[in-house]
Every structure is written in structure tokens, then in C-alpha cells.
Amino acid sequence: EAGVAQSPRYKIIEKRQSVAFWCNPISGHATLYWYQQILGQGPKLLIQFQNNGVVDDSQLPKDRFSAERLKGVDSTLKIQPAKLEDSAVYLCASREQQGTQETQYFGPGTRLLVL
Amino acid sequence: KQEVTQIPAALSVPEGENLVLNCSFTDSAIYNLQWFRQDPGKGLTSLLLIQSSQREQTSGRLNASLDKSSGRSTLYIAASQPGDSATYLCAVRSGSARQLTFGSGTQLTVLP
């Protein structure tokens, strides 16, 4: 079974520039998450999708961040314009649910550096 | 709002030692608790998942316990090896959207 795919793996941009990240979840997983992980901290949820609908985006800085999952499969996360404090690893995850078991699978992440 | 705390933030031990990592959470109304491992530059790998009705789970040299009423979990690693060096993250699933809330992790270094 293929895992969660993310691209690019690394990105360096200057502040005020725009950047986009892509995620392809595991086939058949209806739930998709984007997390932000700042160095030395645990991942923080940015947005959760169920199929192509948003379940929770309460922690997404909507003035600069946007995300979509138009066909309910892959997803993009965009930052426009980027700030220095956006430097972090952006993790995508997808979830399967079988009975009472809930297993969440994470991609390798995109490491963003804003200069 | 759920908050998860992990102590210690970093730990260095000689190879062969048994060790315990601690995790605490503020809201005991959880569905489950998960321990993850994160290697530098990589994503998260799930180690153990404990349902809210369970007290512990074991996998190889790893044993995780859950005391939901007190809001605590421990991850026990037996006979540590240099390959165990990584950051260990605790996460609880709670809330109507069944979301994971993570702690900040414990960075473990096992010295040969």
C-alpha cells in the first residue's frame, strides 16, 4: 500500500512570496489533515477535510493560508504572502477508520524556510 | 481545549537502559491515545494506539499505559538501543471532530 505523498520536500522562499504544497493521501482515505510543525514543537492542526468538505479550519490563518481538496482526493495548501514565522514542516496525513480502530498515516512533510 | 504535555523534553541514556517517557493531557474525554516516533527530516510513525477503554498496549520492547482518569500515559522502552534515538510524540484523539492533539515531544538519544 502506497503511503501519503507530499511535494516538494523542501522549499526556500523570501518573505512576502507565495508557496504551495501538494498532498496525495492513501487511496480510499476520506479524511485528510494538514499540520504545521514548528521546530521543537508537536504538529498543530491547520485544517481537516472529510472528502472535499472542510470539517475544521479554526486554526488556519485565513488571511494568508488557504487549502482545497476539490475532488476529495489530493489537496493543496497555499501560503500567500509568507512570513518569517511560517518557517516550519508542513505535514499531510490521512486517516482510515475500521471499526473502533483509527489509524492516521503521515507523509514525510514539506520543510519550508522563509528568509 | 485539549492540551498535551510531555516530560522530559530531552533525554539521553546509555544503551541497554530501560526508560520511561511521560505524557499528560487536560481533558480526560478522549477516544484514544497514540505514541508516535519521528526521525529527523521524516514524517511520523505510529508506535502504539491505546483505546480509551484500555489500560495498556505492548509491541516488542515498547509498552504504553493509559490512566484516563488522571490524564496520564507513559511509554516504557526496555533495553534501549541506539536505533531508538528519535523524537517521541504523544497525541490524544478527542472532540466532536475526533482530532489529534500533540505534545511537544521527548527527544531521546541512546548512547552506544
Side-chain angles (χ1 to χ4, degrees), chain A residues 25-41:
Chain A
I26 294 173
S27 177
H29 284 195
T31 308
L32 184 148
Y33 308 84
W34 283 101
Y35 292 86
Q36 180 193 57
Q37 186 176 22
I38 294 173
L39 186 65
Q41 300 180 17

Side-chain angles (χ1 to χ4, degrees), chain A residues 9-10 33 35 37 40-43 45 48 55-56 59 91 95 97 100-104 106-108 111, chain B residues 1 31-32 34 36 38 40-44 46 49 51 54 89 93 97-105:
Chain A
R9 292 296 312 278
Y10 305 93
Y33 308 84
Y35 292 86
Q37 186 176 22
Q41 300 180 17
L45 180 68
Q48 176 183 350
V55 174
D56 184 358
Q59 298 191 83
L91 295 164
R95 193 183 94 194
Q97 184 168 350
T100 57
Q101 293 292 325
E102 294 179 78
T103 305
Q104 196 159 319
F106 284 80
R111 189 173 299 270
Chain B
K1 178 184 173 184
Y31 297 103
N32 56 52
Q34 230 169 330
F36 291 87
Q38 187 172 31
K42 298 190 177 180
L44 280 66
S46 179
L49 184 151
Q51 297 295 339
Q54 296 175 324
L89 292 158
R93 190 174 296 280
R98 305 177 75 94
Q99 294 168 353
L100 280 178
T101 303
F102 284 84
S104 295

